[in-house]
Amino acid sequence: MSQICKMVQGQQKVKVHNKTFRLYLPEKQIREKIREIAAQIDGDLHGKEPLFMAILNGSFFFAADLLRELSFISEITFVKIASYHGTSSTGQVRNLIGVDEQVKGRHVVILEDIVDSGLTMKYLVAELEHKGAASIRIATLLLKPDALKEPIHPHYVCFSVPNDFLIGYGLDYDKMGRNLRDIYVLDAE
Ligand code: IMP
Ligand code: MG
């Protein structure tokens, strides 16, 4: 069990389980970037009735904040895919809740918290292609370019980040820390 740790917004360091993390991206900066991305999506997809598809669990804050910044009324659905255990990718993708929506002919925008190896994304994009989506775009809060193992090119990226382990704003370390308002990076040990 994780020790009980008080959450104070903007604090410089947090401890989750046995690891210490330091402040990396404050909430204000994250929200500003999300507004910029939302404006781009508005320009690109207004009138096309896009289907937003958020990948659980990590993207739920990103999806909630992004969708409420759009100027048009839209539709969201969720899929649940997991490839991580602890602080590293397992290299295998597990599909826990699949695509149950009619995607044939739809313009799909995948919403993801972080693209790391790109395996999760490769898997979902292939499934959407197979189901006949008219177009597939990827919007991700974070991208780790140095960790990419698949040729994934997200259309919308809030922040490119180094190949370090991050928590907060939806991202977890062994199930904990998703509700931190800011994003934290694992401290050198
Ligand atoms: P990928 O399939 O390797 O691209 O992994 C993507 C998924 O791994 C993301 O949706 C996250 O759930 C998780 N992940 C990748 N990097 C991190 C991290 O730094 N912190 C927390 N979760 C991460
Ligand atoms: Mg995720």
Side-chain angles (χ1 to χ4, degrees):
M1 270 317 269
S2 168
Q3 67 187 86
I4 308 237
C5 178
K6 204 166 171 219
M7 203 168 56
V8 182
Q9 192 186 354
Q11 66 191 320
Q12 293 301 314
K13 299 230 175 189
V14 293
K15 191 158 185 203
V16 177
H17 297 305
N18 54 339
K19 297 199 188 296
T20 306
F21 296 80
R22 66 174 189 283
L23 185 60
Y24 183 66
L25 285 170
E27 182 188 21
K28 187 166 175 282
Q29 214 174 314
I30 299 168
R31 298 295 285 270
E32 275 167 13
K33 256 294 187 250
I34 290 176
R35 269 194 288 278
E36 284 176 32
I37 297 293
Q40 288 176 31
I41 293 178
D42 248 7
D44 294 344
L45 291 165
H46 197 149
K48 292 193 169 171
E49 295 187 15
L51 173 63
F52 291 92
M53 185 171 286
I55 304 181
L56 294 172
N57 295 328
S59 71
F60 71 111
F61 286 121
F62 177 51
D65 289 340
L66 179 70
L67 258 75
R68 288 178 299 172
E69 295 291 346
L70 296 176
S71 69
F72 55 91
I73 291 175
S74 64
E75 184 183 344
I76 185 164
T77 186
F78 298 89
V79 292
K80 185 164 181 171
I81 302 174
S83 72
Y84 248 62
H85 188 75
T87 59
S88 64
S89 179
T90 58
Q92 282 184 339
V93 176
R94 287 181 303 141
N95 188 349
L96 305 169
I97 301 175
V99 178
D100 65 352
E101 222 67 31
Q102 204 41 270
V103 297
K104 197 170 171 54
R106 300 291 307 269
H107 297 284
V108 181
V109 183
I110 302 171
L111 304 179
E112 177 62 306
D113 52 354
I114 182 162
V115 176
D116 183 85
S117 70
L119 271 177
T120 305
M121 212 40 89
K122 185 187 169 196
Y123 175 89
L124 184 56
V125 167
E127 195 173 341
L128 293 173
E129 279 172 352
H130 178 72
K131 288 181 185 282
S135 71
I136 303 162
R137 286 162 195 260
I138 299 166
T140 187
L141 178 67
L142 305 168
L143 171 69
K144 287 182 182 170
D146 297 340
L148 272 179
K149 293 196 183 116
E150 303 293 338
I152 298 292
H153 307 285
H155 293 75
Y156 313 103
V157 178
C158 291
F159 302 96
S160 284
V161 296
N163 202 358
D164 296 321
F165 191 73
L166 305 166
I167 59 164
Y169 203 83
L171 297 153
D172 71 309
Y173 166 44
D174 256 346
K175 301 182 182 147
M176 294 293 288
R178 294 194 196 273
N179 64 327
L180 287 160
R181 287 175 167 271
D182 312 287
I183 291 177
Y184 288 81
V185 63
L186 183 62
D187 229 357
E189 286 169 6

